[in-house]
Amino acid sequence: MASSIRITPSILNADLTHLDSEIARIAEQSDLIHLDVMDNIFVPNFTFDFDSASAIIKACPIGVDAHLMVADVDQIAPAYAEVGCESVTIHAEATKDISATLRAIRQAGARAGLALKPGTSIEDAAGFIDQVDMFLIMTVEPGFGGQKFIHEMMEKVRKTRAIIGGRDIWLQVDGGISPETICEAAQAGANVFVAGSAVFRADDPASMISSLRTLAQSVAHD
Ligand code: DX5
Ligand code: ZN
């Protein structure tokens, strides 16, 4: 069976003035490009508005995994699916009607992801399990790249893996993923890994992605 490990590099720490070439040098090794959308309301940082995010999504040579860290996400999330994202992730803490928004993302043709900040328990989100294609367990507080991996989140990853059981739901971790932390997260049951600074601060980002994949596969559950 093919490994279910996926590496989804975040371009948050890439050179945003040369985004096309930054994406081009990692596209072949990446499963999806992780696009962090921040509004300076839900998180204390701003990255892209919808128009500039749309331009990136349309130009991206591989699928985009949009991570929406924005307030009042209910209206805008399906628009990210319509513009061509392969996966759209909303935060449980930012969404007024989680069921309706997950449904709208799927109806617009994307995979629907549900993200949890470090302080939100998986038990609060488990009721949505039949409406999600991916859970995202944040391993840092959302807002910035380059933060320290929160090891205590591994208990939540293990619980989420147990709750997922045999369902075909991806389990993503985001924040502080590096060669030092990816095995711990994979052992706990994660199979989709966001890596921002580990990739873009590496001398060779493409080979860093390959190394991360090899490490995760060496301890993966399947
Ligand atoms: C943080 C973002 C992450 C971030 C990861 O809020 O959601 O995707 O870019 O960056 P690193 O890998 O540097 O922690
Ligand atoms: Zn992210």
Side-chain angles (χ1 to χ4, degrees):
M1 175 184 166
S3 169
S4 59
I5 297 295
R6 289 180 172 82
I7 310 289
T8 58
S10 161
I11 55 171
L12 187 60
N13 278 51
D15 177 356
L16 297 181
T17 60
H18 298 96
L19 204 46
D20 286 356
S21 56
E22 290 284 79
I23 291 176
R25 64 180 180 153
I26 59 159
E28 209 169 298
Q29 278 75 24
S30 307
D31 289 287
L32 296 169
I33 296 293
H34 182 84
L35 185 69
D36 289 302
V37 182
M38 306 185 187
D39 65 352
N40 208 20
I41 300 170
F42 179 65
V43 290
N45 194 4
F46 181 85
T47 55
F48 313 106
D49 61 19
F50 179 68
D51 287 347
S52 29
S54 299
I56 296 169
I57 294 158
K58 286 176 185 161
C60 193
I62 64 166
V64 172
D65 163 39
H67 176 194
L68 305 182
M69 288 163 277
V70 299
D72 296 328
V73 68
D74 302 53
Q75 300 300 321
I76 200 77
Y80 277 88
E82 280 157 17
V83 85
C85 287
E86 193 163 320
S87 174
V88 178
T89 298
I90 56 171
H91 266 269
E93 306 86 359
T95 313
K96 291 194 177 70
D97 188 337
I98 294 174
S99 287
T101 306
L102 291 169
R103 200 177 319 119
I105 292 169
R106 279 181 165 179
Q107 277 169 357
R111 298 176 60 90
L114 185 59
L116 306 180
K117 288 168 63 167
T120 305
S121 73
I122 184 60
E123 287 80 0
D124 292 344
F128 300 104
I129 193 150
D130 292 323
Q131 295 157 273
V132 301
D133 299 300
M134 179 171 84
F135 281 114
L136 164 52
I137 305 300
M138 291 302 299
T139 42
V140 299
E141 285 296 339
F144 300 93
Q147 302 183 76
K148 202 172 164 303
F149 180 81
I150 306 174
H151 294 272
E152 290 71 26
M153 290 301 112
M154 293 307 97
E155 187 54 35
K156 198 198 288 190
V157 173
R158 275 189 286 276
K159 273 190 200 166
T160 306
R161 175 51 65 200
I163 288 168
I164 289 172
R167 296 175 181 85
D168 182 21
I169 295 175
W170 296 359
L171 177 44
Q172 187 177 51
V173 283
D174 182 6
I177 298 297
S178 72
E180 287 70 45
T181 58
I182 195 165
C183 288
E184 188 180 341
Q187 254 152 3
N191 59 5
V192 185
F193 303 86
V194 180
S197 48
V199 168
F200 282 101
R201 286 183 195 158
D203 292 335
D204 183 344
S207 72
M208 173 56 75
I209 295 168
S210 303
S211 304
L212 290 169
R213 187 187 305 283
T214 303
L215 284 166
Q217 282 171 341
S218 72
V219 296
H221 291 216
D222 54 11

